[in-house]
């Protein structure tokens, strides 16, 4: 395992993607930075973080065992690792589809995943994560950020939290690889992911291109598609960015 510490970088994801060939012999490479000038969320989202306050890191792996269309399984494994570690510090931690981590209805962590495909197979995958740890105030445009220190009133050792996340990710990744290479499924990962999902129970408000509607979360498929069961019984399927969660009084702009 390789570990790279960067005081300042535009994006740890960009750094690892651009240097993936240098680390091809490492099963896992972690790049962590004190500050990112162009931290990226999914799509066009950005990530606000004060220097030396939070965890900003990316993980480079080479999951050649998984087909490109099923790479969301790796995202599930990573989200479960984040959930496990953060749940040791605060209650009410959930995974908001596809891979955000929420405390109640506020976002404590976001993840962006980039990948390289060669000859129809997964070659490299970079999982970039920002976790709000010790930041006490937020001034950006994100509508609902929260940090661990805001939740608990305590300050934390970011490196210790990162070490725990890597350990849990290695565990879930090994489980996923064993299941997929043996049975072409990841049922245990999928089951745990569903158990820890944000709004896994009950009827909630969502919004798609046709407007707002009420539905319950039916399931998330292994390829990452979310299926919602509307109140009239119909099932709607969504890929990322095709549907929004309506968060009560918090106007989400994702």
């Amino acid at each position: 395992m390789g570990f790279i510490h960067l005081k300042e970088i535009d994006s740890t994801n960009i750094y690892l993607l651009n240097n993936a060939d240098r680390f091809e012999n490492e099963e896992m490479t972690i790049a962590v930075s004190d500050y990112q000038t162009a931290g990226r969320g999914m799509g066009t989202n950005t990530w606000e973080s004060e220097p030396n306050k939070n965890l900003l890191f990316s993980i480079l792996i080479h999951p050649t065992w998984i087909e490109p269309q099923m790479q969301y399984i790796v995202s599930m494994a990573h989200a479960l690792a984040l959930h496990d570690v953060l749940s040791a510090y605060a209650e009410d931690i959930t995974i908001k589809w596809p891979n955000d981590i929420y405390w109640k209805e506020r976002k404590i962590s976001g993840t962006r995943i980039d990948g390289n495909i060669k000859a129809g197979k997964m070659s490299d995958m970079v999982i970039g994560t920002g976790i709000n740890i010790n930041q006490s105030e937020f001034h950006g445009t994100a509508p609902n950020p929260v940090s661990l220190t805001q939740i608990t009133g305590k300050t934390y050792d970011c490196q210790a939290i990162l070490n725990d996340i890597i350990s849990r990710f290695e565990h879930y990744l090994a489980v996923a690889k064993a299941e997929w290479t043996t049975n072409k499924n990841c049922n245990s990962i999928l089951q745990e992911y569903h158990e820890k999902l944000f709004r896994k129970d009950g009827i909630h408000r969502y919004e798609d291109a046709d407007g707002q509607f009420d539905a319950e979360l039916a399931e998330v498929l292994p390829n990452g598609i979310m299926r919602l069961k509307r109140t009239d019984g119909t099932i709607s399927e969504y890929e990322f960015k095709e549907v929004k969660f309506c968060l009560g009084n918090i106007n989400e702009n994702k």
Side-chain angles (χ1 to χ4, degrees):
M1 180 185 297
F3 187 89
I4 301 159
H5 179 259
L6 304 161
K7 288 190 66 65
E8 183 174 315
I9 192 76
D10 53 355
S11 162
T12 50
N13 264 36
I14 294 173
Y15 173 83
L16 287 179
L17 282 171
N18 290 343
N19 293 279
D21 291 345
R22 289 176 50 196
F23 311 116
E24 62 182 355
N25 294 324
E26 295 280 1
E27 185 173 346
M28 183 178 293
T29 303
I30 300 99
V32 60
S33 66
D34 298 331
Y35 180 64
Q36 290 189 123
T37 58
R40 302 186 301 165
M42 292 299 286
T44 59
N45 292 346
T46 58
W47 187 262
E48 175 194 359
S49 180
E50 293 180 6
N52 302 301
K53 291 286 188 178
N54 304 313
L55 260 178
L56 306 169
F57 67 97
S58 294
I59 304 171
L60 169 65
I61 57 174
H62 313 283
T64 55
W65 49 271
I66 195 77
E67 286 80 355
Q69 66 272 20
M70 302 303 293
Q71 61 183 284
Y72 188 71
I73 291 168
V74 177
S75 176
M76 289 184 185
H78 182 68
L80 285 169
L82 296 176
H83 177 279
D84 284 4
V85 174
L86 292 176
S87 292
Y89 299 96
E91 296 181 349
D92 301 312
I93 298 291
T94 57
I95 301 168
K96 178 175 167 289
W97 176 86
N99 51 25
D100 288 340
I101 305 299
Y102 265 48
W103 172 74
K104 298 185 178 180
E105 294 209 347
R106 300 180 69 182
K107 182 174 177 177
I108 191 170
S109 173
T111 293
R112 177 190 176 95
I113 298 178
D114 296 293
N116 292 324
I117 299 172
K118 296 180 181 178
K121 295 183 178 181
M122 287 303 305
S123 172
D124 312 305
M125 184 179 292
V126 177
I127 306 157
T129 298
I131 307 175
N132 298 325
I133 303 292
N134 294 319
Q135 188 162 332
S136 58
E137 295 182 0
F138 294 89
H139 304 287
T141 58
N144 60 340
V146 70
S147 69
L148 205 52
T149 196
Q150 286 178 323
I151 296 169
T152 67
K154 302 176 182 178
T155 57
Y156 297 91
D157 181 339
C158 290
Q159 185 63 50
I161 292 174
L162 176 59
N163 292 343
D164 289 342
I165 290 169
I166 298 303
S167 177
R168 292 306 294 163
F169 182 47
E170 287 182 308
H171 162 74
Y172 283 116
L173 199 60
V175 171
K177 182 179 180 179
E179 285 190 324
W180 187 259
T181 54
T182 303
N183 305 315
K184 290 299 180 183
N185 70 56
C186 285
N187 289 341
S188 65
I189 296 292
L190 197 61
Q191 181 179 348
E192 280 202 59
Y193 179 83
H194 277 93
E195 289 173 354
K196 296 167 181 176
L197 276 174
F198 176 71
R199 292 186 175 177
K200 67 182 180 69
D201 299 315
I203 304 294
H204 299 280
R205 179 63 57 93
Y206 298 86
E207 182 177 353
D208 62 13
D210 297 320
Q212 294 189 0
F213 61 95
D214 293 323
E216 62 179 314
L217 202 165
E219 63 177 332
V220 177
L221 301 177
N223 61 3
I225 290 176
M226 182 171 67
R227 304 179 80 235
L228 296 177
K229 184 178 181 181
R230 299 179 182 236
T231 51
D232 64 2
T234 61
I235 300 291
S236 298
E237 295 187 348
Y238 296 97
E239 295 186 8
F240 178 61
K241 287 291 188 180
E242 291 182 344
V243 66
K244 296 195 297 184
F245 292 70
C246 297
L247 299 176
N249 294 325
I250 303 173
N251 295 316
E252 187 178 26
N253 63 2
K254 286 186 60 180

